[in-house]
Amino acid sequence: MSNTPRKLPDAAIRLGVVVIVIVTAVVVVVSLLPASIKDRKLQRAAAIEREQAHELQYAGAVVCADCHEAEVNLKKDGYHRNVSCETCHGAAKGHTENPVDIKPPAPRDRQFCPTCHAYNQSRPKGFPQINPVTHNPVKPCITCHRPHDPKPPTVPGECTACHAGIERTKSVSPHALLECTTCHVTPEQHKVTPRTVKPTKPSAREFCAQCHGKDSKVDGPPKIDVATHGEKYLCWQCHYPHMPEVSRE
Ligand code: HEC
Ligand code: HEC
Ligand code: HEC
Ligand code: HEC
Ligand code: HEC
Ligand code: HEC
Ligand code: HEC
Ligand code: HEC
């Protein structure tokens, strides 16, 4: 029986080594960490600095008014009064600083508006919703709804009383936003004795050319060359004026 000191079991030695390594590692790592990770105050200060270093993308709702009074005025009393300009036109800080070279996109596409208006049960009750598949398909939404004042198209109530069919046809056509009286000068008396006092009707191709002729100053309607398009025929011999469809193959 030897009287050499009792050896620690191997397992305990290994455990001791592991503990020492871990403790050393923690001490080293903690001492190497930058102060800003360990100190909450420094941490916040660093976060603020980091966020401030990002380039600002949005210009905010106010500056647009400096240069786009018309759109701002149109929107401020309409249904979209609470939808900000940049919701639809994207972040536009760059544009406000260099309006000529940097143009924000305008969402003219039919796909865009249903992001908010496609029927979805989870939307708030009463929020105006449509089914994009069946609601006046194919045409861009902005054919019938002005994006800055998107009220559904209406006609003067009195015409509807007697010409409801024409009104219904027109309200889903590319001419939805044109008032009846754009094309028919209507004396008040027509509403009382309609068969004796009649409104005017366009009588010449030049009438439609005001908006569709290639020299027309009216912005928006598609243009044709009146001298050659449809030749000698009246426009409405080929295009029903209350539903001027164009077939495209
Ligand atoms: C410093 C003046 C200025 C400011 C501020 C400004 N714009 Fe403009 N914007 C212009 C000019 C100039 C045009 C070009 C007009 C033209 O080409 O007829 C323009 C054109 C546009 C267009 C049409 C682009 C196109 O392709 O036709 C949109 C959309 C637009 N701006 C949105 C905005 C929005 C949104 C804001 C606010 C975030 C804004 N603008 C702020 C001057 C400005
Ligand atoms: C609901 C989406 C929406 C909002 C909100 C909106 N716009 Fe527009 N904007 C459009 C669309 C779509 C067009 C393209 C209209 C067209 O081609 O007939 C457009 C066109 C424009 C144009 C080009 C001129 C024109 O009328 O075609 C300018 C400038 C403009 N918007 C500025 C603004 C400003 C400024 C605001 C905020 C006051 C704003 N928009 C808010 C969707 C929007
Ligand atoms: C960011 C969401 C948003 C987008 C995108 C948007 N709208 Fe709207 N729209 C609204 C809100 C909000 C209202 C007002 C709802 C209310 O009055 O309760 C509204 C109202 C309307 C209305 C009035 C409906 C009624 O009550 O009679 C029409 C029409 C409309 N929008 C068409 C459009 C068209 C067209 C576009 C695309 C150019 C568009 N919207 C894009 C949020 C949006
Ligand atoms: C009280 C009913 C009534 C009202 C209201 C009314 N109309 Fe008429 N309108 C008629 C009748 C009836 C005719 C004749 C139809 C016929 O002769 O076949 C007519 C004919 C017309 C014609 C064709 C004229 C022609 O020479 O062929 C036009 C265009 C017209 N209306 C436009 C309008 C417009 C625009 C309004 C609203 C500003 C309006 N009407 C309001 C009843 C009405
Ligand atoms: C051809 C014309 C036309 C086109 C294109 C059109 N609409 Fe309409 N929209 C109308 C008319 C007319 C009404 C009112 C009668 C009705 O509710 O159908 C209306 C009503 C609405 C309403 C109000 C619904 C409610 O219950 O209050 C919303 C929102 C709307 N449209 C959004 C859109 C959107 C989004 C698009 C494109 C995807 C679009 N519209 C395309 C003609 C059109
Ligand atoms: C873009 C111009 C335009 C608009 C907007 C317009 N009309 Fe017409 N309308 C015409 C033309 C052109 C004719 C003549 C068609 C012909 O002689 O064959 C006509 C003919 C008529 C007629 C005679 C019967 C018929 O169907 O040919 C009536 C009634 C009429 N319009 C009522 C209306 C009413 C009501 C509205 C509004 C809901 C309206 N129009 C909007 C251009 C227009
Ligand atoms: C006050 C201006 C105005 C007058 C006048 C006018 N239009 Fe239009 N027309 C428009 C507008 C706006 C549109 C719709 C453009 C769009 O889809 O955004 C349109 C659309 C059309 C289209 C459809 C084009 C397409 O690509 O789908 C035809 C066809 C057309 N008009 C024919 C006529 C005829 C025929 C007349 C004369 C009876 C006429 N227009 C008078 C403004 C006018
Ligand atoms: C002989 C028949 C005929 C006559 C008359 C006619 N058109 Fe057309 N129009 C067409 C056809 C077919 C198309 C479609 C093919 C094309 O674009 O050439 C069309 C297309 C159009 C378009 C759409 C162009 C585009 O680029 O989207 C407009 C706007 C238009 N016509 C307006 C008129 C006007 C305004 C008149 C009278 C000055 C008129 N048309 C006379 C047959 C006719």
Side-chain angles (χ1 to χ4, degrees), residues 205-206 208-216 221-233 235 239:
R205 291 160 57 85
E206 284 67 38
C208 311
Q210 295 171 72
C211 296
H212 291 292
K214 68 174 168 29
D215 301 325
S216 163
K223 305 291 187 253
I224 46 107
D225 183 351
V226 192
T228 55
H229 179 89
E231 293 172 79
K232 57 190 181 299
Y233 301 99
C235 313
H239 303 286

Side-chain angles (χ1 to χ4, degrees), residues 188-202:
E188 273 304 300
Q189 190 62 25
H190 172 67
K191 295 167 194 163
V192 184
T193 54
R195 281 174 218 281
T196 34
V197 179
K198 295 203 171 166
T200 61
K201 289 190 289 185

Side-chain angles (χ1 to χ4, degrees), residues 122-183:
S122 65
R123 293 201 206 279
K125 201 158 162 253
F127 187 83
Q129 305 179 47
I130 49 111
N131 176 346
V133 178
T134 53
H135 181 79
N136 306 306
V138 187
K139 295 186 192 79
C141 314
I142 58 172
T143 312
C144 304
H145 304 289
R146 293 185 173 95
H148 304 130
D149 184 19
K151 49 181 177 299
T154 52
V155 267
E158 319 94 17
C159 310
T160 323
C162 307
H163 299 290
I166 292 177
E167 187 267 319
R168 272 198 304 274
T169 307
K170 187 178 80 65
S171 75
V172 295
S173 85
H175 277 168
L177 293 179
L178 302 189
E179 304 276 353
C180 308
T181 47
T182 310
C183 302

Side-chain angles (χ1 to χ4, degrees), residues 59 63-64 67-68 85-86 89 92 95-96 99 103-104:
V63 287
C64 313
C67 307
H68 297 294
C85 310
E86 288 170 298
H89 291 294
H95 168 67
T96 60
K103 294 267 168 69

